[in-house]
């Protein structure tokens, strides 16, 4: 009995023609470009309840705020530009909730209907990503435009009443919308790409491991533009608050110190009217909106900016970071909280709060003065 010695060539031939695929072939298939789809199919579908709640509650909140603003009468012409910018902000928030919520719900339903969940189509991902960029930048840029308008109205009232008109507000809305739209459609023309993001329910710019200069530049532009709008909005609000405080102090210093009780009462009434004036009402709303935007958006904007500054490429496991999804959900709450600022921080609500804290003091003062007079009368008798 003789043994046949196989040469290396015949051994490789027999391995390649065997029924079982080689281990090397399996490893190459795992590391191929189809790996994200395989990984997506192993993920558990997220809950659809939170997406439905945020979409419904956000749409109702924005519609309620728009209904309140529709009943506001223009007592002053200088109020019209701020109201137009406010309406544009609420419409952008409403569109973001309805359009992005519908796309996310479609993605959830697609996940539940398929046995093996894969990546969305290229067209769907491009529409989703462009909507994310557009409705993400519009509220931030409109908030910046509102801050600039209020800063000019408070620091330069004569220039604002003479130069800033409703047409200028329309131009600002169109400029902001066009700027956000241009940045959103650049990946559709080949500059940058939109990719599916973890856990496969939303699409955005390639924030993890950018493949080209366009990807890197677009993410930097989105992050830096949003951060710049937030920073300058805060600066404009600080300048406006300082100007209002200085105006209030000057009006208080004008009143003589030795005055009668009636003069002091009129001074306190004038100070309360200054506090509840139209400029202060709009400034309080704007300041709260800016603070809410900073809290909601800064984690996401700084996180994607830090990811671009990293020099080492990321592995597929590192791209599945939960902080990106958490910060995105925080940013989505900005569109829910914005309308409640206008619902709650109105002049009538502020007046009721102010009256609730100050109605007790005159009564107590009157009661104490009457008690003192009675004591003096008894002592005389």
């Amino acid at each position: 009995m003789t043994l046949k010695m196989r040469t290396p060539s015949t051994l490789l031939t027999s391995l390649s023609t065997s029924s079982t695929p080689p281990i090397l072939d399996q490893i190459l298939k795992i590391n191929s470009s189809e790996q994200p789809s395989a990984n997506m199919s192993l993920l558990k579908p997220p809950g659809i309840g939170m997406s439905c709640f945020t979409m419904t509650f956000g749409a109702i909140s924005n519609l309620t705020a728009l209904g309140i603003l529709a009943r506001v009468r223009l007592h002053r012409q200088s109020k019209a530009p701020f109201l137009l910018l406010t309406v544009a902000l609420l419409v952008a928030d409403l569109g973001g909730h309805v359009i992005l919520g519908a796309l996310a719900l479609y993605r959830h339903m697609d996940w539940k209907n398929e046995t093996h969940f894969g990546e969305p189509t290229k067209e769907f991902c491009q529409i989703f990503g462009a909507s994310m960029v557009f409705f993400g930048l519009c509220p931030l840029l409109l908030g910046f435009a509102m801050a600039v308008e209020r800063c000019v109205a408070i620091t330069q009232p004569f220039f604002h009443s003479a130069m800033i008109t409703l047409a200028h507000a329309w131009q600002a809305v169109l400029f902001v919308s066009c700027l956000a739209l241009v940045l959103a459609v650049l990946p559709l023309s080949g500059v940058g790409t939109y990719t599916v993001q973890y856990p496969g329910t939303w699409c955005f710019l390639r924030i993890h491991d950018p493949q080209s200069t366009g990807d890197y530049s677009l993410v930097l532009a989105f992050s830096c533009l949003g951060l710049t709008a937030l920073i300058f909005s805060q600066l404009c609000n600080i300048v406006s608050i300082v100007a209002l405080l200085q105006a209030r102090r000057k009006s208080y210093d004008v009143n003589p110190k030795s005055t009668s009780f009636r003069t002091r009462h009129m001074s306190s009434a004038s100070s309360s009217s200054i506090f509840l004036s139209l400029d202060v009402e709009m400034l309080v709303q704007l300041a709260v909106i800016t603070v809410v935007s900073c809290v909601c958006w800064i984690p996401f904007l700084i996180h994607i900016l830090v990811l671009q500054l990293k020099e080492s490429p990321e592995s597929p496991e590192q791209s599945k970071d939960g902080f990106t999804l958490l910060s995105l959900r925080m940013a989505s709450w900005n569109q829910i909280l914005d309308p409640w600022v206008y619902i709650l921080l109105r002049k009538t609500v502020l007046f009721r709060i102010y009256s609730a804290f100050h109605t007790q003091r005159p009564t107590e003062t009157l009661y104490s003065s009457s008690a003192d007079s009675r004591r003096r009368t008894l002592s005389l008798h």
Side-chain angles (χ1 to χ4, degrees):
M1 183 177 181
T2 60
L3 295 175
K4 295 183 179 179
M5 298 297 294
R6 294 186 178 181
T7 62
S9 60
T10 57
L11 181 60
L12 290 175
T13 304
S14 62
L15 286 176
S16 61
T17 55
S18 60
S19 60
T20 60
I23 299 177
L24 182 59
D25 190 20
Q26 294 180 359
I27 295 175
L28 291 175
K29 286 183 178 180
I30 293 177
N31 293 329
S32 62
S33 60
E34 297 178 355
Q35 182 184 358
S37 300
N39 291 336
M40 292 296 179
S41 63
L42 298 177
L43 295 175
K44 295 181 179 180
I48 196 174
M50 182 57 66
S51 299
C52 293
F53 172 76
T54 55
M55 176 183 174
T56 305
F57 184 66
I60 293 175
S61 301
N62 283 277
L63 288 175
T64 304
L66 287 173
I68 292 174
L69 287 178
R71 299 173 57 184
V72 175
R73 296 180 180 179
L74 300 179
H75 297 288
R76 290 195 310 178
Q77 189 66 24
S78 60
K79 189 179 180 181
F82 184 81
L83 284 180
L84 177 60
L85 294 174
T86 303
V87 171
L89 175 64
L90 294 176
V91 170
D93 290 338
L94 178 63
H97 272 292
V98 174
I99 295 177
L100 295 178
L103 293 174
L105 289 179
Y106 176 81
R107 188 64 180 151
H108 279 86
M109 298 304 297
D110 190 22
W111 196 322
K112 291 184 176 297
N113 292 333
E114 294 182 2
T115 56
H116 295 286
F117 180 73
E119 293 185 1
T121 60
K122 181 180 179 180
E123 291 76 13
F124 179 83
C125 197
Q126 286 180 344
I127 295 174
F128 203 162
S131 302
M132 289 284 294
V133 173
F134 178 78
F135 290 109
L137 278 180
C138 271
L140 299 178
L141 297 177
L142 287 172
F144 171 63
M146 293 165 63
V148 172
E149 192 273 339
R150 281 297 89 196
C151 185
V152 175
I154 293 173
T155 58
Q156 303 292 332
F158 296 103
F159 175 80
H160 180 272
S161 60
M163 300 300 296
I164 305 300
T165 61
L166 194 62
H168 293 93
W170 276 110
Q171 292 175 3
V173 172
L174 291 177
F175 175 76
V176 166
S177 302
C178 291
L179 181 61
L181 184 62
V182 167
L183 194 63
V185 300
L186 278 178
L188 305 182
S189 59
V191 181
T193 54
Y194 288 118
T195 58
V196 61
Q197 304 292 329
Y198 176 82
T201 54
W202 60 291
C203 296
F204 196 64
L205 298 170
R206 190 181 290 273
I207 57 179
H208 298 283
D209 191 17
Q211 302 294 328
S212 63
T213 307
D215 296 332
Y216 180 79
S217 301
L218 280 179
V219 178
L220 283 181
F222 179 87
S223 178
C224 294
L225 194 59
L227 289 174
T228 302
L230 291 175
I231 292 172
F232 279 95
S233 298
Q234 288 286 11
L235 292 178
C236 291
N237 291 335
I238 292 174
V239 172
S240 301
I241 291 173
V242 171
L244 283 177
L245 292 178
Q246 290 178 352
R248 183 177 180 181
R249 186 180 62 181
K250 290 180 180 179
S251 63
Y252 180 78
D253 293 340
V254 168
N255 296 326
K257 296 183 179 179
S258 57
T259 54
S260 60
F261 174 78
R262 182 178 179 182
T263 306
R264 291 196 301 268
H265 181 71
M266 292 175 61
S267 176
S268 63
S270 63
S271 64
S272 64
S273 64
I274 290 174
F275 175 75
L276 295 176
S277 65
L278 184 62
D279 291 333
V280 176
E281 176 193 359
M282 291 188 290
L283 184 61
V284 169
Q285 293 175 351
L286 181 59
V288 175
I289 281 179
T290 308
V291 172
V292 169
S293 299
C294 290
V295 173
C296 294
W297 273 102
I298 281 181
F300 181 74
L301 294 175
I302 292 183
H303 180 63
I304 63 177
L305 180 62
V306 170
L307 291 177
Q308 305 311 305
L309 298 179
K310 289 184 178 179
E311 297 181 356
S312 59
E314 296 181 349
S315 61
E317 294 297 329
Q318 290 176 345
S319 62
K320 298 179 182 180
D321 57 337
F323 186 77
T324 302
L325 184 61
L326 177 62
S327 59
L328 177 67
R329 289 175 177 174
M330 289 179 60
S332 65
W333 274 91
N334 180 37
Q335 299 173 338
I336 299 176
L337 298 177
D338 278 347
W340 284 100
V341 174
Y342 298 98
I343 294 173
L344 299 178
L345 298 182
R346 291 179 291 142
K347 183 188 289 188
T348 55
V349 179
L350 293 176
F351 181 77
R352 290 176 183 175
I353 296 174
Y354 184 83
S355 301
F357 281 100
H358 289 79
T359 50
Q360 301 294 332
R361 294 183 180 179
T363 305
E364 293 175 357
T365 305
L366 180 62
Y367 177 79
S368 61
S369 61
S370 62
D372 292 339
S373 62
R374 289 177 183 177
R375 290 174 185 173
R376 290 177 183 176
T377 304
L378 291 176
S379 62
L380 290 175
H381 290 289

